[in-house]
């Protein structure tokens, strides 16, 4: 007789057969340019700590001091017992950084997206979502039980025709998009999106997870880069990537933030961030704003890396950020490519479905401002070796 959980064994076999089985690699160091795996040094080319701030001495010192003063855990949800002066200070920092009236923290970007989207719209409303939006946006849409209209990636004509076909309805409408797409690294056309939102009376929400710290003169993100800060009413971001810490946030008007504090379940019913993470984020945002040279160096490295890969004849998907996706194709080939990279001292795992569409598996390389030219040159050489070895 079958045991009730036997179906899991069958499903795992299917996952393995499709080359989609996921395992963990244990890294014995922080998110530095050179990491140790099984006692061996590798160049890290898959971190979202784009500015290297998770290992910055000033950020670590801020976290240490906060840990000493406040201890390890926050003790509860913000509304019950877990709201400290550091939460308030970071929210004020974020509002200033994102040029909005106010901001509100979540324990992660994932929680910010699922809670906010599912509270802004509900049954009978309509969400318009780019087909390559992050899973947390997709899950927020699912949780909201709204009608979801998926528009083709970056296709403003398609979005416009969908909005047009709903123009008679009085339902609330929400357009939601990543600003830098997490697996592709390309940019949403924010000026056109703000136009469409205005023309069709839709709310516009953008996810700045991979743009913050990387784009804009002050590093504030894509809204700053495109000069549309005052035209995007709902801005989501995370503190886990270029900010080098942990947490998520929504920035917007005072009313929007009051609404979230009163309505969003992933804010209300979740233990708040610990002091060490809050203090690290405050210190990191100061560095992002005051050290543009980190961003400038990062952009030089991106250019150098892409140039090197192009010379090798590898196919880079069109990206405009620190995410550099090298298209391989089938999942099995991408896994093999990543294995050869790792064997030769470069760590960047294969990205496979469901994170990317079938047939579009890739090596998603990400660069950090603490990489050197030498790291990049070595990485390019190893990519060349993997290309030859895998016959790509
Ligand atoms: C575009 C995007 N949005 C949201 C998230 C979730 O953020 P967090 O990791 O802070 O939960 C991620 C994280 O991978 C992301 O890439």
């Amino acid at each position: 007789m079958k045991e009730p959980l036997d179906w899991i064994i069958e499903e795992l076999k299917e996952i393995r057969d499709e080359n989609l089985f996921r395992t963990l690699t244990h890294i014995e160091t922080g998110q530095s340019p050179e990491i140790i795996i099984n006692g061996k040094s590798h160049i890290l080319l898959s971190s979202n700590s784009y500015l290297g701030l998770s290992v910055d001495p000033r950020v670590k010192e801020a976290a240490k001091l906060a840990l000493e003063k406040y201890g390890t855990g926050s003790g509860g949800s913000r509304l019950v017992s877990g709201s400290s002066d550091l939460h308030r200070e970071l929210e004020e920092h974020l509002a200033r950084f994102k040029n909005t009236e106010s901001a509100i923290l979540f324990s992660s970007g994932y929680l910010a997206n699922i809670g906010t989207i599912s509270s802004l719209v509900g049954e009978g409303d309509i969400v318009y979502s780019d087909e390559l939006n992050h899973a947390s946006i997709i899950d927020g849409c699912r949780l909201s039980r709204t009608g979801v209209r998926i528009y083709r990636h970056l296709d403003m004509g398609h979005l416009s025709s969908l909005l047009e076909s709903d123009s008679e309805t009085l339902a609330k409408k929400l357009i939601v998009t990543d600003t830098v797409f997490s697996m592709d690294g390309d940019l949403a056309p924010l000026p056109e999106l703000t136009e469409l939102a205005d023309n069709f009376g839709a709310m516009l929400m953008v996810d700045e997870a991979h743009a913050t710290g990387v784009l804009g003169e002050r590093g504030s993100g894509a809204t700053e880069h495109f000069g549309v800060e005052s035209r995007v009413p709902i801005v989501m971001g995370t503190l886990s990537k270029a900010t080098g810490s942990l947490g998520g946030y929504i920035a917007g008007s005072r009313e929007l933030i009051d609404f979230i504090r009163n309505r969003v379940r992933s804010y209300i019913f979740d233990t708040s961030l610990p002091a060490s993470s809050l203090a690290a984020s405050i210190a990191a945002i100061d560095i992002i704003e005051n050290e543009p040279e980190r961003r400038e160096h990062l952009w030089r490295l991106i250019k150098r890396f892409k140039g090197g890969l192009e010379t090798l004849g590898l196919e880079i998907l069109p990206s405009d950020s620190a995410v550099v996706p090298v298209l391989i194709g089938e999942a099995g080939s991408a896994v093999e490519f990543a294995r050869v990279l790792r064997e030769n001292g470069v760590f960047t795992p294969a990205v496979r479905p469901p994170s990317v569409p079938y047939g579009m598996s890739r090596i998603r390389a990400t660069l950090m401002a603490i990489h050197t030219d030498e790291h990049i040159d070595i990485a390019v050489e190893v990519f060349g070796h993997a290309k030859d070895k895998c016959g790509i």
Side-chain angles (χ1 to χ4, degrees):
M1 202 179 81
K2 276 195 170 186
E3 294 296 319
L5 290 183
D6 275 357
W7 64 271
I8 291 181
I9 297 167
E10 285 155 28
E11 200 153 323
L12 282 173
K13 181 176 175 328
E14 268 172 43
I15 296 173
R16 280 200 178 87
D17 287 348
E18 291 179 56
N19 282 313
L20 298 179
F21 190 72
R22 286 158 151 80
T23 55
L24 293 172
T25 301
H26 301 290
I27 301 173
E28 295 151 39
T29 42
Q31 299 284 294
S32 302
E34 289 167 40
I35 55 169
I36 304 291
I37 303 170
N38 292 334
K40 185 183 160 206
S41 177
H42 293 70
I43 295 176
L44 173 62
L45 221 59
S46 56
S47 178
N48 294 330
S49 179
Y50 301 119
L51 296 177
L53 295 180
S54 69
V55 291
D56 186 278
R58 295 160 293 177
V59 176
K60 290 199 291 187
E61 184 60 24
K64 257 192 250 168
L65 290 174
L67 179 70
E68 273 306 317
K69 179 170 173 193
Y70 295 88
T72 49
S74 68
S77 68
R78 294 282 297 282
L79 291 163
V80 177
S81 56
S83 192
S84 70
D85 48 354
L86 283 180
H87 287 92
R88 190 182 54 213
E89 190 181 334
L90 177 53
E91 287 176 341
E92 285 169 2
H93 250 66
L94 284 167
R96 192 180 37 70
F97 183 49
K98 300 301 285 186
N99 220 347
T100 57
E101 263 181 10
S102 193
I104 186 163
L105 285 165
F106 289 80
S107 298
S108 74
Y110 197 98
L111 291 171
N113 268 339
I114 60 167
T116 303
I117 294 171
S118 61
S119 305
L120 288 171
V121 281
E123 235 165 320
D125 298 329
I126 309 172
V127 184
Y128 303 84
S129 177
D130 187 290
E131 66 177 326
L132 294 190
N133 274 343
H134 187 257
S136 54
I137 294 180
I138 296 169
D139 293 351
C141 293
R142 287 179 182 161
L143 203 56
S144 70
R145 303 197 185 135
T146 50
V148 183
R149 309 253 197 276
I150 313 279
Y151 59 91
R152 287 189 294 273
H153 184 48
L154 306 182
D155 188 338
M156 294 299 101
H158 190 207
L159 172 59
S160 174
S161 68
L162 292 173
L163 285 159
E164 189 70 57
S165 65
D166 297 325
S167 58
E168 298 301 316
T169 157
L170 295 176
K172 272 189 277 172
K173 293 171 194 154
L174 172 70
I175 303 171
V176 60
T177 183
D178 287 13
T179 57
V180 168
F181 286 84
S182 53
M183 295 298 129
D184 290 64
D186 48 357
L187 304 189
L190 294 191
E192 288 92 330
L193 281 160
T194 57
E195 256 339 281
L196 285 174
D198 287 351
N199 290 347
F200 289 95
M203 300 178 279
L204 176 61
M205 174 170 172
V206 303
D207 176 335
E208 293 267 60
H210 297 273
T212 306
V214 176
L215 292 176
E217 215 159 295
R218 291 183 302 112
S220 162
T223 55
E224 186 198 6
H225 169 80
F226 283 112
V228 293
E229 284 166 300
S230 61
R231 300 190 61 199
V232 180
I234 308 154
V235 179
M236 175 271 171
T238 87
L239 299 162
S240 57
K241 305 192 192 301
T243 312
S245 177
L246 178 70
Y249 59 89
I250 299 285
S253 68
R254 225 174 291 285
E255 291 78 13
L256 173 73
I257 302 311
D258 281 345
F259 170 80
I260 290 173
R261 199 175 294 112
N262 283 277
R263 276 277 189 271
V264 173
R265 295 171 67 84
S266 60
Y267 172 83
I268 297 171
F269 297 106
D270 188 39
T271 296
S272 67
L273 289 166
S276 50
S277 299
L278 299 167
S281 294
I282 293 168
I285 291 169
D286 283 343
I287 295 173
I288 292 173
E289 283 193 292
N290 294 314
E291 295 184 5
E293 60 275 17
R294 299 179 88 84
R295 228 169 348 275
E296 285 155 19
H297 178 61
L298 176 64
W299 279 101
R300 271 196 303 276
L301 294 176
I302 295 167
K303 199 163 163 233
R304 190 178 185 100
F305 184 56
K306 281 180 158 181
L309 296 183
E310 270 156 15
T311 308
L312 293 173
L314 284 163
E315 183 175 351
I316 308 170
L317 297 174
S319 81
D320 257 313
S321 62
V323 178
V324 181
V326 181
L327 185 65
I328 305 293
E330 291 314 314
S333 313
V335 170
E336 179 56 14
F337 199 100
R339 194 192 62 73
V340 178
L341 289 178
R342 180 160 160 194
E343 201 174 74
N344 289 277
V346 172
F347 181 65
T348 173
V351 178
R352 296 165 283 166
S355 305
V356 292
Y358 279 84
M360 297 282 283
S361 291
R362 65 198 66 178
I363 302 297
R364 173 188 179 270
T366 48
L367 305 193
M368 300 190 283
I370 49 177
H371 282 126
T372 60
D373 286 357
E374 199 192 351
H375 290 128
I376 299 304
D377 295 346
I378 294 171
V380 169
E381 204 181 309
V382 174
F383 268 75
H385 178 66
K387 177 178 182 287
D388 293 343
K389 189 125 194 229
C390 299
I392 300 286

